[in-house]
Amino acid sequence: MNKPDPKLASFTREGLLEAVKQGEGQFGKRELARALGLKGSDHKRHLKEQLALLEEEGVIAKDSKRNYVLAGALPAVTVVMITDRDSDGELLAEPVRADRAAPIIRLAPGEGAGGPGQTALGIGDKALVRLAEQDDGSYEARLLKKLGQSAHRVLCVMRKPEKGYARLMPVDRRTRHELVPAKGENDKAQDGDLVLVRIAKERRYGLKTAEIVEVLGDVDSPGAGSVIALHAHGVPQGFSEAELTETRKIKPAKMGQREDLRALPLITIDPDDAKDHDDAVYAAPDEDDSNKGGWVVIVAIADVAAYIEPGGQLDRGAFKRGNSIYLPDRVVPMLPERLSNDLCSLRELEERPCMAVRMVFDQYGQKRSHRFIRGWMKSAAKLSYTDAQNAIEGGGPDKAVQLLDSVLRPLWGAYEALSKARADREPLEIDAPERRVRVAEDGQVIGVEVRERFDAHKLIEEFMIQANVCAAESLEMKRTPLIYRVHEQPSREKIEGLSDFLQTVSMKWSKGEKATPKRFNKLLAQAKGTEHYETVNEVVLRSQSQAIYDTENLGHFGLNLDRYAHFTSPIRRYADLTVHRALIRALDLGPDGQTDEERSRLDTIAEEITHSERRAMAAERDAVDRFIALYLAERIGGEFEGRITGVTRFGAFVRLLETGADGLVPISQLGAERWHHDERAHALVGEESGNRYRLGMNVTVRIEEATPVTGGLLLDILTRPEKGPRPTRRAGMRRPGHAPRRGGPKRGRRR
């Protein structure tokens, strides 16, 4: 860490910015206070206020470790991974942990070449570098230290043409260059095999050679889309022998000193195909005369902490995976099946240990009190969302109907009260339909459908939210460190982008207007019923920050809550297990709570499980893309209705209304006229005519190419552009390059 400069003792705005700059991405609040010579709570409170103001103005930003950097800048010293070479043969790199779109980082000429007896830097290597920002916004890097070969591997398809040499074709759409099998590697795989390779030899020019690490099967086999997505994102799969040995030694928990909840008709309500059951719910009118019309709600959660010893093999493996991953044709669980589907699962009519919270609400859904319980329960029934909803509406299976008066109606009564409090709280209400890819047993896609969302879903969601709030409140009251679920308000930069877009659809967000969930909801209500509703929803969604895990409580903007922690899904999220252990220790609920060692590592755990969650989300998204591309590969040449969901300098992205799939219309497909990307108007604009393809525009497209191995769709737009005035060059309008075509049939006449 840099030594603080004595000249910063005077606390001015300029001095604070200079301190942030000197910190080079390594200064948090504590280090900045030290650099500025600040002592006393009043000075530190003023520092916190000034930092918040600068962050709101978009002048500074926080990185993943909560350290401050100048907005848009990378730390002067950072760890990068070598990812490619440019046309001149110079090495290109990306930050190992990038919180935003990475700028171009180019190693200075000759850097990384290696001296006598030293190996040169190659693709996949990590290095500690010092960065210098260039005039064009890119960075030049000078090597400080080579950190060695990363775990980076490249997933490829082996191609062996009848004539010519074998090639390894990367499946990642962002990887532009094919590879050549190294000497002796050609016979390890057959044509069409999925293979995991590592770079064998770096050459300054020409194709790189690669060694085959593992053959994963035929690229055309069922489930290849999931295999590719998991390997492409480095998702840990399977369980070590040490984990399985530890699992086999586990004995079922016993009731012991737990509170007996077996008499309560707790039930699980889950998706139709759920195999593990984290949570069970119960509600009844409050019998306290002082709370007329009020409700008692109990949320019981699987007691995973009873089985997973801190620091043991299962604990280490769960931390490494971070969470379960749900793909169209499979689940990659965080815990072995004996735990996730059996001992920890709240199975129907079977006794199970649980962590429960008993909450009391008034008739308006405001919480009066809560209490955590280490319990012993027996689920009265396993219902699906559809079963529960149908029973409430007058139908459903006999099991659900039999529980209607005693269990379901009280649950809905409590939910009705909680809905009033939710309406008063007014969380962010973005309409983002979730699509489900239906896959047959043979791995073939048989359909893509929008998931129905019933009141039953909303009921469970609201009960879980309240339980999560209680967990955070109880741990704060006991002054126990915990991992929060944090969702910060949108950055100033994103709000300005939203404001610019709204002007193009005759809507308004005033400059300087504060971003609140209520203001967003007002905007969405204003757009409802107009042709721009779906686009406004999407742009509002994109303007939001990504939720993270953090030991510092920064609130949850989307839910409009001051404090929030994940407590309700310990079978599939490691974050929840840490919160369970913290509650057990803080509330003296047993000897298996949070250890001192775990407490000391909470910052690291929060950072790592945030990374694991984003890795899982990327793998899930990529798998869905590949399965849908497989589904659409049989419909090449078909015409579909869609909507432009993004415009870039190289083309337009169109979302197909039938499947929700996103495809690219390369700018070279738009016709002979040159097209400019007008960032402010969110449109591609014809240089001569002024005609435009804009964000949110409804279009008809034809599928030219669908590639299941990459999940890519190439489209041809058939709808003519909208008329517009001949453009004048202005800031924000950039001349794009022409994206290369990737094969496929010739484009036909537009409508």
Side-chain angles (χ1 to χ4, degrees):
M1 184 178 298
N2 291 349
K3 186 176 180 181
D5 189 334
K7 74 179 182 181
L8 298 175
S10 58
F11 181 20
T12 63
R13 177 185 174 98
E14 291 71 24
L16 177 54
L17 289 174
E18 183 63 24
V20 171
K21 184 177 180 180
Q22 279 194 19
E24 296 183 345
Q26 299 180 61
F27 282 6
K29 288 192 186 79
R30 187 179 304 167
E31 292 78 15
L32 287 170
R34 191 179 301 129
L36 292 162
L38 301 180
K39 296 181 180 179
S41 58
D42 288 343
H43 286 102
K44 291 179 179 178
R45 188 180 305 112
H46 182 52
L47 171 64
K48 184 176 181 181
E49 291 171 355
Q50 291 303 307
L51 287 169
L53 181 61
L54 287 171
E55 194 173 358
E56 185 177 340
E57 292 174 358
V59 178
I60 62 174
K62 285 198 287 279
D63 64 14
S64 61
K65 294 184 178 180
R66 319 307 298 168
N67 292 332
Y68 289 91
V69 295
L70 297 178
L74 290 173
V77 176
T78 192
V79 176
V80 299
M81 179 187 292
I82 308 304
T83 58
D84 211 338
R85 287 187 183 275
D86 65 13
S87 57
D88 295 323
E90 302 299 346
L91 293 168
L92 301 177
E94 291 181 358
V96 170
R97 290 286 176 85
D99 295 320
R100 51 192 175 272
I104 295 172
I105 299 176
R106 182 178 285 102
L107 268 70
E111 291 289 308
Q118 296 179 327
T119 58
L121 276 175
I123 307 299
D125 281 346
K126 289 182 181 178
L128 184 68
V129 299
R130 179 174 292 279
L131 300 175
E133 189 169 3
Q134 306 299 295
D135 292 340
D136 63 356
S138 67
Y139 286 81
E140 183 178 76
R142 295 200 174 270
L143 181 67
L144 296 177
K145 183 179 180 182
K146 181 179 177 182
L147 301 179
Q149 178 72 31
S150 73
H152 182 68
R153 297 289 186 268
V154 182
L155 194 62
C156 298
V157 178
M158 172 68 88
R159 291 300 182 196
K160 295 182 175 181
E162 292 183 9
K163 295 182 180 180
Y165 298 99
R167 291 287 187 266
L168 295 163
M169 314 298 292
V171 302
D172 191 332
R173 281 172 277 177
R174 296 165 296 182
T175 304
R176 297 172 295 170
H177 306 298
E178 57 193 57
L179 306 170
V180 177
K183 186 176 181 180
E185 298 293 304
N186 200 38
D187 295 332
K188 289 185 178 180
Q190 302 299 316
D191 181 58
D193 276 349
L194 268 174
V195 292
L196 199 61
V197 307
R198 62 169 168 252
I199 305 300
K201 185 178 180 181
E202 262 294 295
R203 296 184 290 184
R204 193 170 181 84
Y205 299 102
L207 296 178
K208 307 172 187 69
T209 61
E211 297 174 350
I212 295 175
V213 177
E214 185 179 358
V215 178
L216 303 172
D218 190 340
V219 70
D220 295 323
S221 63
S226 290
V227 173
I228 293 171
L230 294 170
H231 279 84
H233 292 281
V235 174
Q237 298 176 64
F239 302 94
S240 68
E241 187 55 42
E243 288 178 90
L244 296 176
T245 299
E246 194 172 288
T247 302
R248 286 190 288 268
K249 293 179 180 178
I250 291 176
K251 296 180 180 179
K254 295 183 178 179
M255 181 173 169
Q257 300 299 311
R258 294 171 180 273
E259 189 169 329
D260 192 350
L261 302 176
R262 288 174 293 179
L264 294 176
L266 286 151
I267 66 169
T268 62
I269 304 177
D270 289 297
D272 296 352
D273 55 355
K275 295 195 170 48
D276 58 60
H277 307 282
D278 281 296
D279 53 85
V281 292
Y282 162 83
D286 190 3
E287 296 179 356
D288 186 340
D289 290 338
S290 68
N291 188 30
K292 291 188 181 300
W295 295 91
V296 174
V297 173
I298 294 179
V299 172
I301 305 298
D303 192 353
V304 176
Y307 293 107
I308 307 295
E309 179 184 353
Q313 294 296 329
L314 284 168
D315 184 48
R316 293 177 189 176
F319 169 59
K320 179 179 71 174
R321 285 178 284 276
N323 44 255
S324 297
I325 300 179
Y326 296 85
L327 306 179
D329 64 336
R330 71 192 68 189
V331 175
V332 181
M334 185 179 79
L335 299 174
E337 188 173 337
R338 183 168 183 248
L339 291 167
S340 62
N341 291 5
D342 184 5
L343 295 178
C344 293
S345 185
L346 306 181
R347 286 158 52 160
E348 186 176 45
L349 302 180
E350 295 186 23
E351 296 184 6
R352 290 288 184 269
C354 67
M355 282 283 291
V357 57
R358 182 183 188 274
M359 301 173 284
V360 179
F361 299 92
D362 65 20
Q363 62 181 319
Y364 304 109
Q366 299 296 331
K367 182 162 67 70
R368 291 164 58 98
S369 64
H370 73 266
R371 175 174 70 91
F372 279 92
I373 301 164
R374 203 88 188 267
W376 189 255
M377 62 163 286
K378 181 167 73 171
S379 171
K382 177 185 78 170
L383 298 182
S384 70
Y385 289 115
T386 306
D387 292 341
Q389 189 69 39
N390 286 342
I392 283 291
E393 294 176 357
D398 290 343
K399 181 169 64 174
V401 172
Q402 290 171 9
L403 295 170
L404 182 59
D405 291 328
S406 59
V407 177
L408 295 179
R409 291 198 194 282
L411 285 171
W412 256 257
Y415 168 61
E416 185 178 343
L418 265 61
S419 296
K420 298 174 185 175
R422 180 185 175 93
D424 290 341
R425 189 176 85 239
E426 198 161 355
L428 186 58
E429 300 284 4
I430 296 176
D431 184 6
E434 183 183 355
R435 283 179 166 81
R436 175 193 178 195
V437 179
R438 294 174 55 231
V439 179
E441 290 185 7
D442 64 359
Q444 298 302 312
V445 180
I446 55 178
V448 181
E449 60 191 19
V450 176
R451 288 186 186 272
E452 292 187 85
R453 186 164 165 79
F454 305 124
D455 281 346
H457 293 88
K458 298 174 185 177
L459 180 153
I460 294 298
E461 179 184 88
E462 192 60 31
F463 284 8
M464 298 305 118
I465 288 172
Q466 294 302 323
N468 288 336
V469 171
C470 290
E473 288 179 348
S474 288
L475 290 172
E476 282 192 357
M477 284 191 291
K478 291 292 184 178
R479 300 183 181 278
T480 299
L482 73 145
I483 293 176
Y484 294 92
R485 181 61 167 176
V486 167
H487 182 226
E488 296 187 78
Q489 69 178 31
S491 67
R492 180 184 178 185
E493 181 182 35
K494 288 187 175 181
I495 292 299
E496 287 178 351
L498 172 66
S499 177
D500 288 342
F501 162 72
L502 291 175
Q503 293 177 33
T504 69
V505 293
S506 302
M507 299 178 72
K508 187 177 181 182
W509 187 294
S510 301
K511 297 290 184 183
E513 191 172 355
K514 187 176 180 182
T516 65
K518 183 175 182 179
R519 177 65 182 92
F520 280 117
N521 290 341
K522 181 180 177 182
L523 175 65
L524 294 169
Q526 182 183 350
K528 197 153 193 175
T530 72
E531 61 174 319
H532 305 299
Y533 177 62
E534 285 150 340
T535 306
V536 172
N537 260 277
E538 187 146 346
V539 175
V540 168
L541 179 60
R542 290 177 185 173
S543 74
Q544 303 305 305
S545 303
Q546 279 191 289
I548 62 171
Y549 293 107
D550 203 312
T551 54
E552 183 179 356
N553 181 23
L554 301 172
H556 198 293
F557 179 83
L559 293 174
N560 205 7
L561 292 168
D562 293 331
R563 57 192 56 79
Y564 193 66
H566 273 164
F567 160 76
T568 55
S569 295
I571 289 177
R572 60 186 180 89
R573 291 189 306 228
Y574 193 81
D576 305 56
L577 178 56
T578 69
V579 170
H580 277 229
R581 288 172 173 163
L583 287 166
I584 292 167
R585 175 170 174 168
L587 304 177
D588 196 21
L589 296 175
D592 47 359
Q594 184 186 71
T595 63
D596 290 341
E597 194 274 338
E598 180 176 270
R599 178 174 289 190
S600 71
R601 293 177 54 244
L602 287 180
D603 280 327
T604 299
I605 293 172
E607 182 180 347
E608 288 300 320
I609 60 180
T610 296
H611 173 66
S612 299
E613 179 187 50
R614 292 186 179 174
R615 176 182 65 196
M617 291 169 63
E620 290 170 352
R621 184 171 57 247
D622 279 6
V624 167
D625 286 348
R626 288 179 168 92
F627 275 96
I628 293 181
L630 177 65
Y631 179 60
L632 294 174
E634 298 179 359
R635 303 169 74 177
I636 299 293
E639 296 181 8
F640 296 83
E641 299 305 310
R643 180 168 50 85
I644 296 177
T645 56
V647 288
T648 71
R649 60 184 178 82
F650 52 82
F653 287 96
V654 175
R655 179 161 301 159
L656 307 185
L657 302 184
E658 179 183 328
T659 62
D662 289 306
L664 173 67
V665 181
I667 204 163
S668 59
Q669 292 283 78
L670 298 182
E673 184 175 14
R674 291 190 65 85
W675 296 82
H676 294 289
H677 177 210
D678 189 332
E679 293 181 74
R680 293 180 183 174
H682 297 268
L684 289 170
V685 181
E687 184 177 68
E688 299 299 327
S689 67
N691 294 341
R692 61 192 58 212
Y693 289 104
R694 59 167 175 80
L695 185 68
M697 181 177 169
N698 293 318
V699 294
T700 300
V701 295
R702 180 169 55 233
I703 297 180
E704 299 283 9
E705 185 179 319
T707 313
V709 70
T710 64
L713 295 178
L714 277 182
L715 310 173
D716 184 14
I717 199 162
L718 304 179
T719 303
R720 292 187 179 278
E722 293 178 341
K723 297 291 185 183
R726 184 171 177 171
T728 55
R729 298 287 293 172
R730 68 174 191 267
M733 183 178 287
R734 298 189 302 181
R735 182 187 298 273
H738 284 270
R741 284 186 60 108
R742 290 189 291 172
K746 295 286 186 180
R747 179 176 53 82
R749 182 182 299 275
R750 291 194 193 91
R751 288 179 176 172

